[in-house]
Amino acid sequence: MVFNFAFAKILHVFYCVVLLNNSVLGLWTQTNPSKFDNLQQTQTFIMNFGPQHPASHGVLRFVLQLEGEYIRHADANIGFLHRGTEKLMEQRTYLKSLPYFDRLDYVSMMSQEHAYCLAIEGLLGSSSFTSYFVQVRVMFDELTRLMNHFLGISTHSLDVGNMSPAFWAFEERERLMEFYERVSGARMHAAFYRPNDLDWTGLNYQFFIDLLFFLNNTYKSITEMFVILATNNIWRTRLVRIGVIDNTQVPLFAASGVVSRSAGLKKDLRILKTSTYSYYWFLKLRSFLGKMGDCYDRFIIRIREMLESVFIVYQVVANLLNIFDSTTTLHFWTSTESYISSTLTKSQRNRKSTSMETLINHFKYYSEGTKLPAGLVYQSVEAPKGEFGVSLISDGSSGPFRCKIRTPAYHHLQFMSSQIRGHFFADMITILGSQDIVFGEVDR
């Protein structure tokens, strides 16, 4: 018994020292996996993000495959805001379809109206580059760009954790919405543009004086937003080298706007000879490129675009001041009843309540619409989020036979899955905010 106990004790010591402590002696290598090996690997699980999440910028639903805090796969589900806009436009006249474009990207309204009006003018063959109403369109397009970037940068900073820029940005957006309201009567859904014309009623002398005061003051807000964010170490840490886009991915996913320019691709429809539109060719403007293609580059480009938009509006207002001076027979600046186009004169407007023929013509014009020549046309504009295009097929009637809308956010959402793969879950919110996606134009 004494021998057996001593032998068993020796075997126990040998087993503990030699077989288990292989890192010390290196005499034994494990060949069979044990139940403790699974502890070294994190199990992946599926999680729903949205569609009610406040940081999803709308009704986005992401099905995420997470491995701890890392995103291994992401699948975007869209369509929760689908209204059938393109199909509804086929049942209405061209003019009655215009307000639908305000409700696509409900942050940059007039830019989308501009693309639709350019498409109709393309079918009519009456596109203009130097008319007065074209210059006013450019002015409101750039004010819309300011409105969009104010909201995009402020909500992005809220997602990351900075609250101060939201107060400054929303104050400026309120002033911009006042300009919308003064020319159209609506703060957001303006329906202000018309094919080959504008509603000139609200464009009086006081409007441009107030606009110049706003442009002088908005520099302060843009500068404050830039300084408070660019000097914040947390903001830079959360954005630098996050969501990097390679310039080879940009043409594959048809990216445009700030997203494509952040990757170094020189694409801006306002300054390209083959795609310029309206009055941009006669203005001095610059477009900005990024180096890394990350979220911080997109933030810097939006700040620079806001300052450039202010400079463009200054040019347009100065040009209109030179046109409508005190010697002009059209008393544009001295009357609240501004310039009326030749197609609908002031006398015709006043005669609607006294002349039955004028009232009948007015009723038929707005109820039946105007017949456009048959054909196919595609027109695009440089919207704040990217290339916004409208493709119209006309069969010679007063309504579009087919309307297809090309929205930038829909294309940018396509490569979100590959862009956020390998990042932390918190970085997905940063990348989504830097894309500046609005789901009114994604789902349509």
Side-chain angles (χ1 to χ4, degrees):
M1 295 295 293
V2 175
F3 173 77
N4 292 338
F5 176 80
F7 183 73
K9 191 68 174 177
I10 293 172
L11 289 178
H12 178 71
V13 172
F14 178 79
Y15 175 77
C16 293
V17 173
V18 177
L19 295 183
L20 293 184
N21 197 1
N22 59 342
S23 61
V24 177
L25 300 179
L27 300 178
W28 177 74
T29 302
Q30 186 180 11
T31 56
N32 297 324
S34 65
K35 62 180 180 179
F36 300 104
D37 290 343
N38 294 329
L39 296 178
Q40 300 175 0
Q41 299 178 357
T42 306
Q43 185 177 3
T44 62
F45 65 96
I46 306 297
M47 187 185 73
N48 277 299
F49 172 78
Q52 297 91 6
H53 198 280
S56 62
H57 291 259
V59 286
L60 170 65
R61 175 177 179 248
F62 260 120
V63 181
L64 303 172
Q65 182 181 2
L66 299 176
E67 183 176 335
E69 284 288 323
Y70 289 97
I71 299 175
R72 292 306 179 199
H73 184 72
D75 184 20
N77 288 352
I78 62 175
F80 295 96
L81 203 61
H82 179 61
R83 290 97 68 199
T85 300
E86 297 164 333
K87 201 66 180 176
L88 288 171
M89 292 175 59
E90 300 174 10
Q91 306 169 9
R92 287 160 177 79
T93 62
Y94 287 99
L95 194 58
K96 291 180 181 178
S97 300
L98 182 70
Y100 281 114
F101 287 86
D102 291 323
R103 290 153 177 84
L104 295 175
D105 180 5
Y106 41 81
V107 180
S108 53
M109 292 73 68
M110 289 195 187
S111 298
Q112 298 164 122
E113 296 177 18
H114 198 174
Y116 181 63
C117 291
L118 288 176
I120 295 177
E121 293 166 5
L123 287 173
L124 289 171
S126 60
S127 300
S128 175
F129 292 89
T130 56
S131 300
Y132 300 151
F133 69 87
V134 171
Q135 300 178 42
V136 176
R137 283 180 183 177
V138 170
M139 180 182 69
F140 273 99
D141 277 7
E142 297 307 315
L143 293 178
T144 305
R145 196 179 310 276
L146 280 171
M147 185 185 299
N148 180 89
H149 289 346
F150 270 128
L151 183 71
I153 294 176
S154 61
T155 53
H156 188 199
S157 65
L158 277 175
D159 293 339
V160 175
N162 199 324
M163 197 170 185
S164 299
F167 297 106
W168 302 321
F170 274 79
E171 182 180 358
E172 299 300 319
R173 291 190 79 250
E174 285 296 319
R175 296 173 182 172
L176 287 166
M177 287 183 183
E178 287 180 8
F179 294 128
Y180 266 47
E181 187 177 7
R182 289 168 66 170
V183 298
S184 66
R187 286 163 50 84
M188 290 184 63
H189 307 310
F192 176 57
Y193 293 172
R194 297 288 184 274
N196 293 315
D197 200 9
L198 279 178
D199 183 8
W200 294 83
T201 307
L203 294 170
N204 50 32
Y205 176 80
Q206 189 62 42
F207 175 85
F208 287 92
I209 294 299
D210 295 341
L211 179 58
L212 290 175
F213 277 116
F214 166 77
L215 295 177
N216 288 331
N217 295 329
T218 194
Y219 270 115
K220 178 182 177 182
S221 298
I222 299 174
T223 306
E224 284 179 342
M225 290 176 59
F226 171 72
V227 171
I228 202 70
L229 291 175
T231 59
N232 192 319
N233 290 330
I234 299 177
W235 174 261
R236 294 174 63 92
T237 305
R238 291 292 303 274
L239 268 68
V240 174
R241 298 184 182 275
I242 300 298
V244 177
I245 300 175
D246 190 6
N247 54 9
T248 59
Q249 291 180 309
V250 171
L252 294 177
F253 292 97
S256 58
V258 176
V259 175
S260 65
R261 291 193 290 273
S262 68
L265 184 67
K266 297 180 180 180
K267 182 181 180 182
D268 192 331
L269 301 182
R270 299 174 296 175
I271 60 178
L272 291 177
K273 292 183 179 180
T274 57
S275 60
T276 186
Y277 60 96
S278 290
Y279 195 66
Y280 283 108
W281 185 252
F282 305 97
L283 297 173
K284 294 181 180 179
L285 71 150
R286 296 174 297 173
S287 188
F288 306 96
L289 301 177
K291 294 182 179 180
M292 292 293 299
D294 55 1
C295 295
Y296 192 76
D297 276 358
R298 291 188 279 276
F299 158 69
I300 294 295
I301 291 175
R302 287 191 176 98
I303 290 289
R304 296 298 299 270
E305 281 193 356
M306 292 169 72
L307 298 174
E308 195 69 20
S309 295
V310 174
F311 178 61
I312 293 173
V313 176
Y314 268 126
Q315 295 180 65
V316 175
V317 173
N319 192 39
L320 290 175
L321 283 169
N322 291 330
I323 294 172
F324 296 101
D325 55 9
S326 58
T327 62
T328 308
T329 56
L330 296 173
H331 299 289
F332 183 80
W333 299 104
T334 58
S335 174
T336 55
E337 298 176 357
S338 10
Y339 172 68
I340 307 298
S341 65
S342 59
T343 58
L344 189 62
T345 62
K346 182 179 178 181
S347 59
Q348 286 177 324
R349 289 192 175 188
N350 293 338
R351 279 164 44 195
K352 282 189 297 184
S353 57
T354 58
S355 173
M356 179 59 70
E357 289 79 10
T358 306
L359 181 62
I360 291 173
N361 291 333
H362 176 270
F363 177 78
K364 288 177 65 65
Y365 175 76
Y366 279 97
S367 60
E368 297 178 359
T370 303
K371 294 183 179 180
L372 267 62
L376 168 66
V377 67
Y378 174 79
Q379 290 288 340
S380 59
V381 299
E382 185 67 28
K385 293 178 174 62
E387 179 184 354
F388 182 90
V390 176
S391 179
L392 284 178
I393 300 178
S394 174
D395 57 355
S397 63
S398 60
F401 175 77
R402 181 75 176 92
C403 177
K404 180 67 177 69
I405 303 171
R406 192 258 189 218
T407 58
Y410 180 78
H411 294 271
H412 296 164
L413 195 63
Q414 290 184 99
F415 61 89
M416 274 289 293
S417 299
S418 61
Q419 192 179 1
I420 66 178
R421 188 178 297 120
H423 285 85
F424 284 109
F425 176 76
D427 293 334
M428 185 192 69
I429 309 299
T430 304
I431 297 171
L432 184 62
S434 73
Q435 297 278 17
D436 195 12
I437 292 175
V438 170
F439 272 82
E441 64 172 354
V442 173
D443 294 334
R444 297 194 291 277

